[in-house]
Amino acid sequence: MSRTITDNVGEIETICKTDPARVGDLVKLVFRSDDDADPPFNVRIKSPSGKVIIERVLRDLPTGKPQSAPPIEFTASAPGPYKIEIWQLYGKIRGNAVLNVIPAM
C-alpha cells in the first residue's frame, strides 16, 4: 500500500499509483477487494473543500492487473485530504480512504 493513502476502511482497498501525490499531479487510483465482488461499483471522490470532483459507475474494478479496467485518474488541484468512497451498487461491499495531497515543490 502506498504511503499517500491513509485510513483505508472496508472490504475494498484504495491504492494510489502516484506517490507522493502533489498538487498538479495526475493521480491514478486502483482498487483491490479480497472478496470476488460482483459489479457494478460506484466511486465518489471529494476534494479537500468537500466538493465532489468525480462520481461515476464502474463496470469493473480497476485493479492495475493485466486486462483490468483503467485506473481512475484526476488532477490534484489543491493540497489536503481527498476522500474516496467506493461501494458495490447491488451489495454490501464498501471501501473508504483518504488521499493526502501535498503542496507542489
Side-chain angles (χ1 to χ4, degrees):
M1 180 172 55
S2 177
R3 296 171 303 174
T4 305
I5 296 286
T6 60
D7 300 329
N8 247 323
V9 178
E11 297 87 9
I12 302 174
E13 181 182 17
T14 303
I15 301 163
C16 182
K17 296 288 193 176
T18 310
D19 188 31
R22 298 182 189 277
V23 172
D25 285 351
L26 180 65
V27 176
K28 296 181 180 186
L29 301 174
V30 294
F31 303 93
R32 182 172 48 198
S33 174
D34 290 338
D35 301 327
D36 285 332
D38 293 326
F41 300 92
N42 195 36
V43 64
R44 180 182 302 144
I45 301 173
K46 293 181 183 178
S47 70
S49 66
K51 180 182 175 187
V52 175
I53 57 172
I54 292 179
E55 184 161 10
R56 71 175 65 137
V57 175
L58 306 174
R59 293 188 338 196
D60 290 308
L61 275 182
T63 61
K65 295 180 181 177
Q67 305 294 322
S68 82
I72 300 296
E73 298 180 343
F74 68 96
T75 301
S77 60
Y82 285 73
K83 295 182 180 171
I84 302 159
E85 303 170 348
I86 185 163
W87 64 92
Q88 190 180 29
L89 284 179
Y90 305 114
K92 297 181 180 181
I93 296 177
R94 303 184 64 83
N96 294 303
V98 176
L99 168 69
N100 292 308
V101 174
I102 58 176
M105 292 183 80

